[in-house]
Amino acid sequence: MQTSSDQNSPIRRIAIVGGGTAGWVAAAMLAAHLPSSACQIQLIESTDIGIVGVGESTIPPFIGLLRNLGINEKTFVEQTDGCYKLGIRYRHWAESNHEYFHPFGALGQNIDQHEFYQCWLRANQQGNTHSLMAHSPCAALAQARRFYQPGLASAAGTSYALHMDATLGSQYFRNYACARGVKRTEGKVVSATKKTNGQLQQLQLEDGQIISADFFIDCTGFAARLIEGELAVGYNDWSDLMPCDRSVSVKTQSLGTYKPFTEATASKTGWMWRIPLKNSTGFGHVYSNKHCTDAQAKSTLFRQLDAQRITDPHFIAFKPGHRRSFWQHNCLSIGLAAGFIEPLESTSIHLIARGVEYFLRYFPTTQCDPILSAEYNRRMRADFEEIRDFILLHYCISQRRDSPFWRDCASQTLPDSLAQRINLFKAQGLLRPGVDDLFRATSWYSVFEGMGIRPRHYHPRVDDIAAPRLAQALNTQRSAIKRLVEVSPSIDDVLF
């Protein structure tokens, strides 16, 4: 008979079902934080199930993940066909033949304790013709195809992320995890048994193996083999909000000309990505099945290829949204099993890492106190909704009306959270910060400005700054960025 102390004992065994980026990043993070002497981690994966994606784009928190795991960044870049990324260049989003840049890092510096964007807005309304991006070191470096010396990062207000090959990245995290005691088991889960309290107890593999654990992590992708297949946790479907639901991707040879940014080019039925790697380039088309057939999407993508294709097109159908509960009983869903929005802002790995970080923060005993899982679910839900709103912003404020897809985007009913953000910004250039937001002021200002949305007025307190002082401060900031670009090496020199 099981006692109350048995039900509330430490977690000693964790089973991760599914490999790929989600499974091996989760395994690496858990192995780094949970000593193998205290908790055994086992990952079950099937070689029959491939990895989604041919090129993976990340955002700056990924660099923090590598550092927290003690991974040598230079080695990681070399072993994953990696390149550096300073932001995203958007083409044809506001309207055809228009482009703008969403940079990482700082966007200007406050002047006399006044928020930079408000200072720039006042100067602009009073005749200053310098663009907002003239105050972004990452935008200036990206335009010049340069990359800063790491020692100058904090002083310059710069930040960066990586492009990597998805398969090589997963292999790197797999080697990292296994070197720290994670046990890999080849197999496919065919059934599971549960305890009387609803918790998962054992997994049966196709070859007859039985896997027992105290806690289970579902990294089985869209199949959601445990969280949905065994525990029947439903899904919050955002198909009525998000315009795209399919993608097709290929890989080409590299032309040898590297750009330190992702490119996102709008099409008449969605958008296309270009992710440069050292030895290849990843291309993809994200589109709406309502407005485009798979054949049309492939044709549109192939017209954008600038080198010889080296893989066949790979199609993925997805349903934007997330699990109603990411953590149910003693089962946690991570990666595509937890939910998916779309890859426009390269947030997939971030959500994987965030999910594991929160799990470690609310790490349970075998009892799995529902108070802990409820808070975990609340935090993850907030992250998904924040990313949803920011991605939806790119579509809803576009001025394009040249296809049914873009006309539908313009007439889309927005979530109240996004509508309120847009209205607050339009009134006076103000943002509504949240707790632990991923997208900070730089991101919102860059997209609003890039898409041609300006506030009706700047904050009146900025008038406290004397006009000569304002002009001098802005000029000093631009000059510092210009000097940074002049002394920084080319991206080719950094990579080779």
Side-chain angles (χ1 to χ4, degrees):
M1 180 176 178
Q2 199 172 41
T3 66
S4 59
S5 60
D6 293 331
Q7 297 171 358
N8 202 28
S9 59
I11 288 177
R12 300 294 189 189
R13 298 171 299 171
I14 296 177
I16 301 173
V17 181
T21 303
W24 287 114
V25 167
M29 294 179 68
L30 293 176
H33 291 89
L34 302 175
S36 58
S37 58
C39 184
Q40 298 177 349
I41 302 168
Q42 182 174 7
L43 187 146
I44 304 100
E45 68 173 343
S46 172
T47 54
D48 294 337
I49 302 172
I51 296 173
V52 174
V54 294
E56 192 80 69
S57 187
T58 67
I59 52 180
F62 183 74
I63 301 300
L65 171 64
L66 295 182
R67 292 172 181 169
N68 289 337
L69 294 178
I71 291 174
N72 182 283
E73 182 183 310
K74 184 175 184 294
T75 301
F76 184 87
V77 169
E78 291 173 348
Q79 295 188 10
T80 61
D81 197 21
C83 280
Y84 293 99
K85 171 183 174 181
L86 294 165
I88 306 172
R89 184 173 77 169
Y90 285 92
R91 301 174 61 240
H92 310 317
W93 280 81
E95 54 189 0
S96 297
N97 301 315
H98 175 273
E99 68 177 53
Y100 71 93
F101 197 75
H102 172 194
F104 297 143
L107 183 57
Q109 300 174 25
N110 291 354
I111 300 173
D112 298 342
Q113 299 184 340
H114 291 282
E115 205 277 324
F116 164 78
Y117 179 75
Q118 295 291 339
C119 296
W120 175 85
L121 195 60
R122 174 194 158 186
N124 184 272
Q125 292 185 8
Q126 295 178 351
N128 174 35
T129 58
H130 293 283
S131 72
L132 185 62
M133 288 300 108
H135 297 270
S136 164
C138 284
L141 287 164
Q143 183 176 18
R145 297 191 184 183
R146 293 175 178 264
F147 192 78
Y148 59 84
Q149 301 285 358
L152 299 176
S154 59
T158 47
S159 186
Y160 65 95
L162 299 177
H163 295 143
M164 65 176 179
D165 180 277
T167 301
L168 295 178
S170 295
Q171 290 175 354
Y172 191 99
F173 285 111
R174 169 181 163 177
N175 293 338
Y176 176 99
C178 291
R180 285 155 182 78
V182 173
K183 177 184 177 182
R184 177 186 177 274
T185 298
E186 167 71 25
K188 185 176 181 180
V189 174
V190 294
S191 64
T193 60
K194 288 181 279 189
K195 302 176 185 177
T196 56
N197 63 1
Q199 288 190 358
L200 295 175
Q201 185 173 33
Q202 292 181 328
L203 305 176
Q204 181 174 335
L205 306 189
E206 198 170 42
D207 63 3
Q209 288 187 75
I210 300 297
I211 306 295
S212 299
D214 301 316
F215 199 92
F216 299 82
I217 298 181
D218 188 343
C219 296
T220 60
F222 293 128
R225 181 65 184 80
L226 301 183
I227 196 73
E228 181 178 288
E230 298 295 337
L231 298 181
V233 174
Y235 195 79
N236 285 332
D237 187 348
W238 286 342
S239 297
D240 60 333
L241 293 174
M242 307 302 295
C244 296
D245 58 5
R246 289 185 70 82
S247 71
V248 56
S249 58
V250 297
K251 183 183 284 188
T252 71
Q253 296 176 348
S254 173
L255 290 177
T257 53
Y258 302 96
K259 301 175 183 178
F261 48 85
T262 303
E263 292 182 86
T265 301
S267 71
K268 288 192 173 183
T269 57
W271 64 278
M272 291 169 286
W273 77 71
R274 184 182 189 276
I275 298 176
L277 304 173
K278 286 178 68 174
N279 300 300
S280 60
T281 303
F283 284 87
H285 187 194
V286 180
Y287 57 100
S288 164
N289 189 46
K290 297 176 184 176
H291 300 92
C292 181
T293 67
D294 290 348
Q296 290 169 332
K298 183 179 74 170
S299 177
T300 300
L301 175 63
F302 280 15
R303 288 196 296 271
Q304 295 294 311
L305 304 185
D306 54 15
Q308 180 67 39
R309 180 168 55 84
I310 56 178
T311 65
D312 293 328
H314 179 62
F315 290 89
I316 298 173
F318 59 87
K319 184 183 296 183
H322 65 78
R323 290 288 145 206
R324 290 174 187 158
S325 292
F326 302 92
W327 175 355
Q328 180 82 350
H329 298 310
N330 64 338
C331 180
L332 182 73
S333 56
I334 293 290
L336 299 179
F340 186 68
I341 306 174
E342 66 152 89
L344 184 59
E345 285 286 342
S346 311
T347 54
S348 292
I349 295 182
H350 171 76
L351 285 170
I352 292 168
R354 184 79 113 172
V356 180
E357 288 171 5
Y358 284 155
F359 177 59
L360 290 167
R361 183 182 302 181
Y362 303 113
F363 198 74
T365 63
T366 54
Q367 183 186 30
C368 289
D369 191 328
I371 292 176
L372 299 176
S373 57
E375 179 60 13
Y376 178 97
N377 289 327
R378 184 190 70 81
R379 294 300 297 270
M380 287 301 297
R381 190 178 305 114
D383 280 3
F384 267 81
E385 290 175 353
E386 181 211 347
I387 293 171
R388 175 202 66 192
D389 284 2
F390 188 68
I391 289 177
L392 188 54
L393 175 73
H394 297 68
Y395 294 98
C396 72
I397 61 176
S398 171
Q399 299 304 306
R400 291 189 62 159
R401 302 291 185 270
D402 58 340
S403 68
F405 174 84
W406 288 104
R407 290 192 288 274
D408 285 352
C409 289
S411 62
Q412 173 68 51
T413 300
L414 303 181
D416 289 343
S417 52
L418 176 57
Q420 291 165 7
R421 280 181 181 267
I422 293 173
N423 290 335
L424 183 61
F425 178 82
K426 286 182 175 179
Q428 201 165 273
L430 299 176
L431 301 176
R432 187 177 62 185
V435 177
D436 272 350
D437 276 356
L438 169 61
F439 296 109
R440 305 298 176 90
T442 292
S443 297
W444 288 91
Y445 292 144
S446 298
V447 176
F448 274 126
E449 177 66 17
M451 298 291 280
I453 305 298
R454 288 271 182 88
R456 291 187 288 274
H457 199 275
Y458 58 84
H459 197 291
R461 290 187 58 200
V462 180
D463 284 329
D464 294 343
I465 305 176
R469 162 63 181 155
L470 177 60
Q472 179 189 35
L474 292 174
N475 183 62
T476 298
Q477 293 187 26
R478 291 191 298 271
S479 297
I481 291 173
K482 183 178 179 180
R483 288 193 297 272
L484 171 66
V485 173
E486 289 172 349
V487 301
S488 296
S490 72
I491 185 64
D492 289 354
D493 289 341
V494 172
L495 291 172
F496 297 98

